[in-house]
């Protein structure tokens, strides 16, 4: 179906102030969608209360309103402009909640404005915890045992029925706000009160906790003709229990069997096609029992999300740009693939590299803040690295964290004994991956770490691989360092400074650089082309590696 020509002016709702748990990714989506709509000759009006965003630059939209994200502000804009449609899927949960509130007050109907990209029924089905649960049961998609509570007493009663450990999940909140785990009766009262007050509709889902299960996220696009593509499958390094925004994530999924992947893929498409009136980007989260491969649905976000921004950068597929075009009526097969310029946007990216996202925290600035990670997101940003292998990508990401880490290691800083380290890594904290590496360096077995953390053993073996190379490098001086070992270290993501610190002599990173350069061990640049060189890429970007 070609573009809906009745849409001349679109209002885009932004995500408001940048707060912990809602970082700048929505700015990326908002600015991409504004440009995408203006390409089509559509006039774009934008509201966002945050002036420190790219999307509020006067160049981005035809008119920008720096106003609080309230229904009064929306009404003011509708009075001052002739607006045909509103696009609420680019501003996170904040924008969806505002669109829903305006709908309930009859604002859209009063000014003859229609919602595009998503409708209120789809928002309710996805974001109202009880409606989502009932919807999944109707579709035959397994979910964790749970009940919805609208009062404190109801929540307490359900908690006793379901049994501990529990998860409290408030409806219509972003970044896991108000959510948390309850392990004992003593913690229940506080967790219930916090969840009920965080939810704008005073509702929480009291759910059985599937701690230790693996967590996956699928990024999808759907058009109005029910075509669905899966852009990216993201695997959480950490098991269930940590908000996905606070977890190290890896794409493509590394430890998923083909049968489990196909089941996850088919289930996600089934959910997407039953969502209702929806055209755009969406993400579905699943949890998988590592022992039995039993799958349960966790949630669906009927909007472009934090993960969509990551998936866009990771695959080269401009999710927000395409989602905006789908919202105004185009189908996927009518849009050009932005990378190849010859094939259509109705394709699924193929990755011949590994992406690792590592969140960034700033607990130093928040004295007294609890640095244990859980369901409520605490990170203030993230870094993303691309490599030919997981080991290279994780080391590159750690080098980018600006927290004095040199690759995966704080050299000379860890003074903990192995038994203390095993106890320490049982609790998820911001530096857990560094402490896992310290434990492996001290000879703690992979099996012990897997049991302590619930992290898949494949990831632990990859970190063990980094430790083995490090132990080997430590036997040599720069002059005696074997060429093959140096090559292998560079392929596994070791920086020159890292190698200099590990070597059995006082060496600088400049000396390591000069030696490897003289040996012809230099950086090469590989292409992010979304289709593994199956078609020629016209608008590529690159990442560096030491693979030949």
């Amino acid at each position: 179906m070609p573009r809906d020509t009745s849409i001349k002016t679109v209002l885009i709702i932004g995500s408001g102030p940048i707060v912990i748990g809602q970082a700048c990714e929505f700015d990326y989506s908002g600015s991409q969608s504004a440009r995408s709509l203006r390409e089509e000759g559509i006039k774009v009006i934008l509201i966002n209360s945050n002036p420190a965003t790219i999307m509020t630059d006067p160049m981005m939209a035809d008119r920008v309103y720096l106003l609080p994200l309230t229904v009064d502000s929306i009404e003011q804009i509708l009075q001052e402009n002739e607006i045909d449609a509103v696009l609420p899927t680019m501003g996170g949960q904040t924008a969806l909640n505002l669109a829903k509130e305006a709908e309930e007050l009859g604002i859209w109907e009063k000014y003859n404005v229609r919602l595009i990209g998503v409708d209120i029924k789809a928002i309710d089905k996805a974001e109202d915890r009880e409606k989502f649960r009932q919807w999944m049961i109707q579709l035959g998609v397994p979910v964790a045992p749970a009940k919805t509570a609208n009062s404190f007493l109801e929540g307490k009663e359900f908690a006793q029925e379901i049994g501990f450990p529990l998860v409290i999940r408030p409806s219509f909140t972003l970044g896991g706000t108000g959510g948390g785990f309850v392990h004992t009766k003593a913690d229940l009262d506080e967790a219930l009160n916090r969840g009920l007050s965080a939810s704008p509709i005073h509702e929480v889902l009291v759910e059985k906790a599937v701690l230790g299960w693996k967590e996956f996220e699928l990024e999808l696009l759907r058009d109005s003709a029910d075509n669905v593509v899966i852009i990216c499958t993201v695997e959480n390094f950490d098991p269930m229990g940590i908000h996905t925004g606070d977890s190290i994530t890896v794409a493509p999924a590394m430890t998923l069997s083909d049968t489990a992947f196909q089941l996850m893929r088919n289930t996600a498409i089934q959910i997407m096609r039953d969502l209702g009136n929806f055209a755009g980007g969406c993400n579905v989260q699943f949890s998988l029992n590592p022992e039995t491969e039993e799958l349960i649905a966790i949630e669906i976000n009927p909007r472009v999300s934090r993960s969509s921004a990551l998936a866009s950068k990771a695959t080269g597929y401009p999710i927000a740009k395409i989602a905006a075009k789908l919202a105004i009526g185009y189908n996927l097969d009518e849009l050009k693939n932005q990378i190849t310029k010859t094939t259509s946007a109705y394709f699924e990216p193929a990755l011949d590299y590994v992406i690792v996202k590592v969140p960034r925290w700033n607990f130093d600035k928040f004295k007294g803040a609890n640095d244990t990670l859980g369901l409520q997101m605490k990170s203030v940003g993230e870094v993303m690295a691309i490599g030919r292998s997981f080991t290279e990508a994780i080391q590159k990401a750690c080098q980018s964290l600006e927290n004095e880490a040199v690759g995966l290691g704080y050299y000379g800083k860890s003074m903990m004994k192995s038994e203390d380290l095993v106890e320490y890594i049982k609790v998820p904290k911001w530096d857990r991956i560094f402490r896992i590496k310290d434990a492996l360096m001290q000879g703690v077995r992979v099996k012990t770490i897997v049991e302590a953390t619930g992290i898949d053993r494949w990831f632990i073996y990859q970190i063990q691989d980094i430790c083995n190379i490090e132990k080997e490098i430590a036997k040599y001086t720069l002059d005696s360092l074997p060429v093959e070992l140096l090559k292998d270290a560079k392929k596994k993501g070791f920086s020159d400074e890292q190698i200099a610190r590990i070597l059995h002599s006082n060496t600088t990173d400049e000396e390591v650089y000069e030696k490897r350069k003289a040996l012809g061990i230099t950086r090469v640049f590989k292409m992010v082309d979304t289709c593994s060189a199956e078609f020629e890429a016209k608008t590529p970007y690159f990442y560096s590696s030491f693979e030949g």
Side-chain angles (χ1 to χ4, degrees):
M1 191 172 75
R3 194 199 122 186
D4 184 340
T5 51
S6 67
I7 300 171
K8 305 272 193 296
T9 307
V10 171
L11 169 65
I12 295 176
I13 304 175
S15 61
I18 294 172
V19 294
I20 292 175
Q22 182 167 333
C24 322
E25 292 88 343
F26 296 112
D27 184 22
Y28 176 79
S29 307
S31 49
Q32 246 198 34
S33 59
R35 287 164 74 173
S36 181
L37 294 175
R38 290 179 88 192
E39 272 177 11
E40 299 293 328
I42 290 171
K43 187 179 176 186
V44 172
I45 314 289
L46 195 142
I47 176 174
N48 196 3
S49 59
N50 182 3
T53 56
I54 302 297
M55 73 162 84
T56 51
D57 188 295
M59 302 284 287
M60 277 296 162
D62 295 280
R63 197 163 181 190
V64 174
Y65 283 87
L66 286 165
L67 292 173
L69 292 170
T70 63
V71 172
D72 290 343
S73 302
I74 295 287
E75 190 151 22
Q76 180 194 325
I77 294 167
L78 297 180
Q79 284 165 355
E80 292 175 13
N81 303 272
E82 276 190 32
I83 289 171
D84 303 305
V86 59
L87 182 63
T89 54
M90 300 293 163
Q93 193 60 51
T94 309
L96 288 189
N97 287 353
L98 183 54
K100 181 176 157 62
E101 193 184 341
E103 169 80 13
E104 285 165 356
L105 293 169
I107 302 293
W108 305 130
E109 194 179 351
K110 180 181 172 183
Y111 292 93
N112 196 25
V113 174
R114 59 193 169 107
L115 252 66
I116 56 171
V118 68
D119 66 3
I120 295 300
K121 279 183 190 165
I123 296 172
D124 277 348
K125 267 171 98 168
E127 303 293 347
D128 183 310
R129 296 288 179 185
E130 180 57 20
K131 283 182 182 167
F132 173 76
R133 205 173 72 81
Q134 293 299 340
W135 174 34
M136 289 301 101
I137 291 164
Q138 280 167 17
L139 285 178
V141 176
V143 285
K147 282 197 171 180
T148 307
N150 295 95
S151 71
F152 177 76
L153 287 173
E154 219 177 2
K156 238 177 148 164
E157 189 184 317
F158 294 158
Q160 281 158 350
E161 271 180 50
I162 296 164
F164 300 98
L166 289 168
V167 183
I168 304 295
R169 296 184 190 275
S171 293
F172 293 96
T173 66
L174 180 91
T177 303
F181 285 96
V182 181
H183 294 277
T184 61
K185 273 187 184 177
D187 306 329
L188 182 61
D189 292 11
E190 189 197 337
L192 271 174
N193 281 324
R194 188 174 64 239
L196 287 163
S197 58
S199 169
I201 61 166
H202 202 70
E203 178 184 278
V204 294
L205 188 72
V206 180
E207 183 179 270
K208 186 80 176 167
V210 284
L211 293 170
W213 285 33
K214 284 154 67 160
E215 189 170 1
F216 295 89
E217 198 165 334
L218 273 68
E219 291 299 323
L220 305 99
L221 277 168
R222 174 190 164 195
D223 63 25
S224 51
D226 247 359
N227 296 313
V228 179
V229 285
I230 292 169
I231 306 302
C232 196
T233 305
V234 181
E235 176 168 2
N236 284 18
F237 174 85
D238 300 288
M240 284 290 289
I242 298 175
H243 188 280
T244 189
D246 271 353
S247 181
I248 293 168
T249 57
V250 187
M254 292 283 143
T255 70
L256 202 52
S257 72
D258 187 54
T259 47
F261 172 63
Q262 296 305 332
L263 174 62
M264 203 176 281
R265 179 195 163 81
N266 294 340
T267 308
I269 291 170
Q270 181 193 6
I271 293 169
M272 266 292 254
R273 287 191 167 145
D274 202 66
L275 186 54
N277 184 8
F278 179 84
C282 182
N283 73 317
V284 189
Q285 276 166 265
F286 291 104
S287 184
L288 184 90
N289 184 331
E291 304 298 322
T292 63
E293 291 199 335
E294 179 192 345
L295 190 73
I296 61 167
I298 301 296
E299 68 176 11
I300 177 171
N301 288 306
R303 56 180 168 84
V304 175
S305 66
R306 181 184 302 105
S307 316
S308 310
L310 175 76
S312 281
K313 293 172 189 135
T315 61
Y317 193 110
I319 293 173
K321 183 175 185 174
I322 299 293
K325 293 204 190 294
L326 299 180
I328 55 167
Y330 284 113
N331 289 338
L332 282 161
D333 55 346
E334 295 169 332
L335 295 170
K336 267 215 173 130
N337 173 351
Q338 303 294 308
I339 304 295
T340 64
K341 302 288 185 187
T342 51
T343 54
S344 80
Y346 191 15
F347 87 108
E348 296 187 352
L351 310 187
D352 57 0
Y353 49 84
V354 178
I355 299 106
V356 171
K357 174 213 87 179
V358 179
R360 290 180 55 178
W361 292 272
N362 221 331
F363 290 117
D364 296 349
K365 283 188 180 174
F366 304 100
K367 301 295 178 198
N370 181 359
D371 65 350
T372 299
L373 306 179
L375 284 184
Q376 190 161 344
M377 190 173 155
K378 296 178 181 179
S379 73
V380 294
E382 59 198 27
V383 300
M384 187 190 93
I386 305 179
R388 301 299 286 171
S389 63
F390 172 77
T391 48
E392 183 186 14
I394 189 75
Q395 294 242 73
K396 282 168 85 173
C398 291
Q399 287 154 21
S400 310
L401 284 171
E402 295 178 357
N403 64 355
E404 295 177 44
V406 203
L408 186 52
Y410 280 93
Y411 295 97
K413 286 199 173 184
S414 177
M415 307 302 288
M416 276 195 221
K417 294 188 179 124
S418 56
E419 54 270 26
D420 296 335
L421 281 166
V422 172
E423 280 306 307
Y424 185 85
I425 62 176
K426 283 180 181 175
V427 179
K429 291 184 186 285
W430 72 270
D431 61 345
R432 178 153 79 168
I433 191 164
F434 294 102
R435 299 302 164 222
I436 287 170
K437 193 231 174 188
D438 290 343
L440 289 166
M441 287 297 287
Q442 290 188 31
V444 176
R445 291 167 63 214
V446 167
K447 187 174 180 235
T448 306
I449 291 172
V450 170
E451 285 167 359
T453 61
I455 295 167
D456 191 279
R457 68 175 59 242
W458 185 86
F459 290 117
I460 309 299
Y461 276 122
Q462 296 297 303
I463 300 169
Q464 177 82 73
D465 198 14
I466 292 170
C467 295
N468 293 343
I469 292 172
E470 188 166 317
K471 286 173 181 173
E472 198 59 31
I473 292 170
K475 296 175 184 174
Y476 298 96
T477 62
L478 183 60
D479 292 334
S480 63
L481 184 66
V483 178
E484 284 308 311
L485 181 56
L486 181 54
K487 268 186 189 168
D488 199 24
K490 292 307 291 180
K491 280 183 185 175
K492 295 277 166 57
F494 282 81
S495 65
D496 294 341
E497 186 181 351
Q498 205 174 346
I499 293 166
R501 289 201 195 185
I502 298 163
L503 282 167
H504 191 59
S505 58
N506 286 328
T507 311
T508 65
D509 54 334
E510 285 89 352
E511 287 169 327
V512 175
Y513 171 73
E514 291 302 335
K515 166 150 184 169
R516 70 168 175 79
K517 200 176 165 190
L519 292 166
I521 304 169
T522 53
R523 221 172 271 282
V524 293
F525 290 86
K526 303 276 186 181
M527 191 187 290
V528 172
D529 69 353
T530 82
C531 45
S532 298
E534 210 173 308
F535 301 95
E536 187 187 351
K538 306 282 187 199
T539 55
Y541 56 98
F542 298 85
Y543 62 96
S544 67
S545 179
F546 283 86
E547 195 182 79

